[in-house]
Amino acid sequence: MRKLYAIGFPTLMAFDTLAQTCFKIAGNHALPFAADFSWILRVAEQPWTWVALCGYLGAFLTWMRLLRDAPIGPAFAASHLEVVSVLLVSAWWLHERITPLQLLGALVIVLGIGLLAISESRETADATDATPG
């Protein structure tokens, strides 16, 4: 089970980060924004749009596999590590500025997910200890 988590969650985070980042790049290349058909065509012509859609497909398939075996609460929380990874990738690759408040928010997300993981592992250990036999 730990191998599933060790491989599955980073894979999910990578696919989600890829999708979000590529949509940002595609949107930037399709500027100026206009709520019309020509703008939709400009977005559809961007290779980044198609890479982003592949990222979403990969994330969906990875998520479905994780949900088969992982408890939903911690899995849902861990799936939101993408918020932190997108923040970091956008700063590195897209040269976006990270504010102290954003860093604090990222830290809170990571700490919250860590606390959920500790709680889940303790509950699993307690349930195993309580099982007769």
Side-chain angles (χ1 to χ4, degrees), residues 15-86:
F15 277 128
D16 277 338
T17 303
L18 174 71
Q20 294 297 324
T21 305
C22 289
F23 267 132
K24 166 74 174 181
I25 294 169
N28 284 346
H29 283 96
L31 291 175
F33 173 76
D36 58 20
F37 190 69
S38 64
W39 181 80
I40 293 171
L41 287 177
R42 283 198 315 270
V43 170
E45 290 172 349
Q46 295 297 318
W48 293 108
T49 300
W50 299 100
V51 175
L53 291 173
C54 289
Y56 276 130
L57 177 62
F60 174 77
L61 295 173
T62 304
W63 180 241
M64 291 297 105
R65 174 61 180 97
L66 284 167
L67 282 182
R68 190 173 81 180
D69 297 312
I72 187 68
F76 184 72
S79 73
H80 287 80
L81 277 172
E82 80 172 68
V83 173
V84 177
S85 64
V86 169

Side-chain angles (χ1 to χ4, degrees), residues 5 70-75 114-126:
Y5 295 166
I72 187 68
L115 291 173
L116 280 171
I118 291 168
S119 170
E120 184 66 31
S121 65
R122 285 185 180 166
E123 286 179 20
T124 303
D126 291 344

